[in-house]
Amino acid sequence: MAVTVLLVDDHPVVRTGLRAVFDAREDVTVVGEAATGEEAVLLAEHLHPDVVLCDLRLGGGMDGVAATVALRALRPAPAVLILTTFDRDADILGAIEAGAAGYLLKDVPPDTIVEALHTAAAGQVFLASDLATRVMSGMRQPRPRLTTRELDVLGHLVQGASNKEIARALFVTEATIKSHLVHIFTKLDVDSRARAIHVAREAGLIREG
C-alpha cells in the first residue's frame, strides 16, 4: 500500500526533486507541498498524510522542530520525518524529543528515504546506526537548561553586546547582567563569552537562521 506524504521545504527545487523521485514509484504518493511550518500544519489538518517529510530550517517562523510538535498534536497525527543538511547532535536530539519518527540527511539515497517513510508510517522510528548512537549518547547527557532571561542574555552575547548594552536592552542593571553571566557560565561549564557561545551553539540553545 502506498504511503501518503506531505513535503515541507522552503526551497521549491528540493520539493520538485523529491516529488520527481516519489512520482516514479508506486509505493509513495505525494498529497501536498508546503514551504513553511505553519502551512504544513494547515495542510496536514485537511490532507491527513501518513507522513510529513520536513526540513529542519524553514526560514522565518516555525522551524522543523516546532512544526513537528504542532503536527504531532493533530488528531489524527501524522508521523514526521526530518530531512535536512544539518547533522549536529543537538539538532538530531531536539527533533526526536519533539516527536519526529526519524532524522535523515539530504545526501542519503532515495531508497533510504522511501524505507524511512514506510517505517515511520508503520509507527516505528527510523535512524541510521550512527545517528541512533549519537541520540542515545545525547539522552544520557542532557542538555543544560537556561532560563528565559539567561537565553535573552545569551542572545545578546552572540551579537557582541557589552554588559552595559545588554543591561540597557533588558532594562536591568549591569550587576544583574553579571549575575546572569555567572549562572550561564556555570551551567555551560565555561569561563569566557566565546566559550559560552560555542557550547550553547553545540547544545542547540542558539537557533541559527
Side-chain angles (χ1 to χ4, degrees):
M1 183 177 296
V3 173
T4 56
V5 180
L6 172 64
L7 304 178
V8 187
D9 197 293
D10 58 336
H11 294 99
V13 66
V14 174
R15 299 198 307 271
T16 299
L18 289 170
R19 180 179 279 274
V21 169
F22 298 144
D23 283 350
R25 306 182 62 104
E26 296 182 352
D27 55 350
V28 178
T29 300
V30 176
V31 295
E33 299 180 19
T36 68
E38 291 83 356
E39 185 182 4
V41 175
L42 290 175
L43 285 177
E45 282 187 290
H46 297 289
L47 299 175
H48 304 298
D50 296 321
V51 185
V52 177
L53 188 60
C54 185
D55 195 4
L56 188 66
R57 301 286 187 263
L58 296 169
M62 189 179 287
D63 65 4
V65 171
T68 298
V69 173
L71 288 164
R72 294 298 296 160
L74 297 177
R75 293 295 179 268
V80 181
L81 273 177
I82 298 297
L83 180 66
T84 182
T85 57
F86 296 89
D87 68 344
R88 294 189 314 165
D89 290 1
D91 290 327
I92 300 168
L93 184 58
I96 298 302
E97 288 177 338
Y103 195 103
L104 299 168
L105 299 181
K106 288 183 176 178
D107 60 358
V108 300
D111 284 348
T112 299
I113 299 177
V114 172
E115 180 186 356
L117 289 172
H118 282 273
T119 299
Q124 301 172 16
V125 175
F126 185 96
L127 280 174
S129 58
D130 60 327
L131 297 186
T133 299
R134 289 160 62 180
V135 167
M136 292 304 297
S137 176
M139 288 181 172
R140 285 192 291 268
Q141 299 176 354
R143 288 177 290 175
R145 303 290 182 181
L146 300 186
T147 66
T148 300
R149 182 42 61 95
E150 288 166 354
L151 289 172
D152 289 339
V153 173
L154 190 59
H156 286 285
L157 283 185
V158 174
Q159 298 170 15
S162 66
N163 288 0
K164 185 175 182 179
E165 290 169 333
I166 300 174
R168 186 183 303 120
L170 298 181
F171 303 102
V172 296
T173 66
E174 286 188 62
T176 298
I177 296 303
K178 290 179 181 177
S179 177
H180 285 312
L181 287 175
V182 169
H183 293 149
I184 291 171
F185 286 12
T186 299
K187 290 180 179 181
L188 299 182
D189 192 24
V190 298
D191 57 6
S192 70
R193 292 173 178 242
R195 282 294 299 163
I197 293 170
H198 173 75
V199 172
R201 281 200 171 105
E202 290 299 305
L205 297 174
I206 298 173
R207 286 292 179 190
E208 309 290 356

